[in-house]
Amino acid sequence: MTGEVRRVQSGSPWEETIGFARAVAAGDRVSVSGTTSFKGRVLYGEGDPYEQTKVAFGHVMEALAEFGLGAEAVIRTRMYLTHARDVDEVSRAHKELFDSVRPAATLLVVEGFVDPRILVEVEVEAFRGAPE
Protein backbone atom coordinates (compact mmCIF):
# COMPACT_ATOMS: atom_id res chain seq x y z
CA MET A 1 0.00 0.00 0.00
CA THR A 2 1.26 3.46 -0.82
CA GLY A 3 0.18 6.96 0.19
CA GLU A 4 1.30 8.62 -3.01
CA VAL A 5 -0.95 9.63 -5.89
CA ARG A 6 0.33 8.73 -9.34
CA ARG A 7 -1.23 9.60 -12.69
CA VAL A 8 -0.79 7.98 -16.09
CA GLN A 9 -1.51 9.70 -19.39
CA SER A 10 -2.31 7.78 -22.57
CA GLY A 11 -1.77 10.53 -25.10
CA SER A 12 -5.46 10.93 -25.88
CA PRO A 13 -6.12 14.41 -27.29
CA TRP A 14 -9.06 14.71 -24.87
CA GLU A 15 -6.74 14.41 -21.87
CA GLU A 16 -5.26 17.79 -22.71
CA THR A 17 -8.53 19.38 -23.85
CA ILE A 18 -10.48 18.31 -20.76
CA GLY A 19 -7.60 18.09 -18.28
CA PHE A 20 -7.68 14.52 -16.98
CA ALA A 21 -5.48 11.47 -16.62
CA ARG A 22 -6.20 8.05 -18.16
CA ALA A 23 -5.60 6.43 -14.76
CA VAL A 24 -4.96 7.58 -11.21
CA ALA A 25 -3.57 5.44 -8.41
CA ALA A 26 -4.23 6.59 -4.86
CA GLY A 27 -3.44 4.26 -2.01
CA ASP A 28 -4.67 0.76 -2.83
CA ARG A 29 -7.02 1.90 -5.61
CA VAL A 30 -6.48 2.58 -9.28
CA SER A 31 -9.26 4.29 -11.21
CA VAL A 32 -9.23 4.25 -15.00
CA SER A 33 -11.18 7.02 -16.71
CA GLY A 34 -13.90 6.44 -19.24
CA THR A 35 -12.15 4.84 -22.20
CA THR A 36 -13.28 4.34 -25.79
CA SER A 37 -11.78 2.56 -28.76
CA PHE A 38 -10.11 5.74 -30.01
CA LYS A 39 -6.34 5.63 -30.36
CA GLY A 40 -5.28 9.20 -31.02
CA ARG A 41 -7.85 10.46 -33.50
CA VAL A 42 -8.64 7.04 -35.02
CA LEU A 43 -11.71 5.11 -33.88
CA TYR A 44 -11.20 1.34 -34.02
CA GLY A 45 -14.16 -0.98 -34.58
CA GLU A 46 -16.46 1.61 -36.09
CA GLY A 47 -19.99 0.18 -36.13
CA ASP A 48 -18.93 -2.91 -34.13
CA PRO A 49 -19.79 -2.79 -30.40
CA TYR A 50 -17.89 -6.02 -29.65
CA GLU A 51 -14.68 -4.76 -31.24
CA GLN A 52 -15.02 -1.31 -29.66
CA THR A 53 -15.42 -2.93 -26.25
CA LYS A 54 -12.37 -5.17 -26.75
CA VAL A 55 -10.24 -2.24 -27.91
CA ALA A 56 -11.44 0.02 -25.08
CA PHE A 57 -10.69 -2.63 -22.45
CA GLY A 58 -7.32 -3.14 -24.15
CA HIS A 59 -6.54 0.53 -23.53
CA VAL A 60 -7.67 0.10 -19.92
CA MET A 61 -5.35 -2.88 -19.49
CA GLU A 62 -2.44 -0.86 -20.91
CA ALA A 63 -3.11 1.81 -18.28
CA LEU A 64 -3.30 -0.77 -15.49
CA ALA A 65 -0.04 -2.33 -16.69
CA GLU A 66 1.66 0.99 -15.92
CA PHE A 67 0.96 0.14 -12.26
CA GLY A 68 1.98 -3.51 -12.65
CA LEU A 69 -1.65 -4.69 -12.63
CA GLY A 70 -3.67 -6.99 -14.84
CA ALA A 71 -7.28 -8.10 -15.14
CA GLU A 72 -7.09 -10.00 -11.84
CA ALA A 73 -6.79 -6.68 -9.98
CA VAL A 74 -10.04 -5.28 -11.42
CA ILE A 75 -12.80 -5.05 -8.81
CA ARG A 76 -15.38 -2.95 -10.70
CA THR A 77 -16.25 -2.27 -14.32
CA ARG A 78 -18.69 0.15 -15.85
CA MET A 79 -19.86 -0.06 -19.44
CA TYR A 80 -21.85 2.67 -21.11
CA LEU A 81 -23.43 1.99 -24.48
CA THR A 82 -25.71 3.91 -26.77
CA HIS A 83 -27.96 1.06 -27.91
CA ALA A 84 -29.62 -1.68 -25.84
CA ARG A 85 -29.30 -3.91 -28.91
CA ASP A 86 -25.53 -4.02 -28.24
CA VAL A 87 -25.78 -5.49 -24.72
CA ASP A 88 -24.96 -9.04 -25.84
CA GLU A 89 -21.88 -8.03 -27.84
CA VAL A 90 -20.53 -5.73 -25.12
CA SER A 91 -21.21 -8.43 -22.51
CA ARG A 92 -19.40 -11.04 -24.62
CA ALA A 93 -16.26 -8.89 -24.80
CA HIS A 94 -16.45 -8.22 -21.04
CA LYS A 95 -16.83 -11.90 -20.22
CA GLU A 96 -13.85 -12.88 -22.37
CA LEU A 97 -11.60 -10.65 -20.29
CA PHE A 98 -13.15 -10.89 -16.84
CA ASP A 99 -14.93 -14.27 -16.63
CA SER A 100 -12.43 -15.71 -14.15
CA VAL A 101 -12.15 -12.42 -12.23
CA ARG A 102 -15.84 -11.58 -11.81
CA PRO A 103 -15.62 -7.90 -10.86
CA ALA A 104 -18.68 -5.95 -9.79
CA ALA A 105 -20.11 -4.64 -13.07
CA THR A 106 -22.55 -2.00 -14.23
CA LEU A 107 -23.92 -1.69 -17.75
CA LEU A 108 -25.91 1.39 -18.71
CA VAL A 109 -27.55 2.63 -21.89
CA VAL A 110 -26.86 6.34 -22.36
CA GLU A 111 -28.09 9.01 -24.73
CA GLY A 112 -24.80 9.37 -26.59
CA PHE A 113 -21.13 10.29 -26.55
CA VAL A 114 -19.05 13.24 -27.79
CA ASP A 115 -18.55 11.43 -31.11
CA PRO A 116 -21.65 9.67 -32.49
CA ARG A 117 -19.51 6.79 -33.85
CA ILE A 118 -18.66 5.72 -30.31
CA LEU A 119 -20.91 2.83 -29.31
CA VAL A 120 -19.34 1.99 -25.95
CA GLU A 121 -17.20 3.55 -23.25
CA VAL A 122 -15.74 1.61 -20.32
CA GLU A 123 -14.09 2.42 -17.01
CA VAL A 124 -12.63 0.28 -14.25
CA GLU A 125 -11.48 0.35 -10.67
CA ALA A 126 -8.66 -1.90 -9.56
CA PHE A 127 -7.21 -2.89 -6.21
CA ARG A 128 -3.48 -3.12 -5.70
CA GLY A 129 -3.46 -4.63 -2.23
CA ALA A 130 -0.94 -6.87 -0.55
CA PRO A 131 0.32 -9.73 -2.75
CA GLU A 132 -1.09 -13.18 -2.03
Side-chain angles (χ1 to χ4, degrees), residues 7-24 32-35 38-41 59 63:
R7 293 168 175 80
V8 168
Q9 302 296 138
S10 70
S12 163
W14 287 313
E15 289 172 356
E16 287 304 314
T17 302
I18 299 170
F20 73 95
R22 170 63 51 219
V24 177
V32 182
S33 297
T35 304
F38 266 99
K39 186 71 170 181
R41 299 204 179 274
H59 296 328

Side-chain angles (χ1 to χ4, degrees), residues 9-62:
Q9 302 296 138
S10 70
S12 163
W14 287 313
E15 289 172 356
E16 287 304 314
T17 302
I18 299 170
F20 73 95
R22 170 63 51 219
V24 177
D28 282 341
R29 299 290 178 126
V30 178
S31 296
V32 182
S33 297
T35 304
T36 68
S37 64
F38 266 99
K39 186 71 170 181
R41 299 204 179 274
V42 177
L43 177 71
Y44 289 84
E46 186 168 347
D48 185 341
Y50 170 77
E51 188 63 25
Q52 284 193 22
T53 305
K54 285 186 62 161
V55 171
F57 275 127
H59 296 328
V60 164
M61 299 315 297
E62 289 171 7

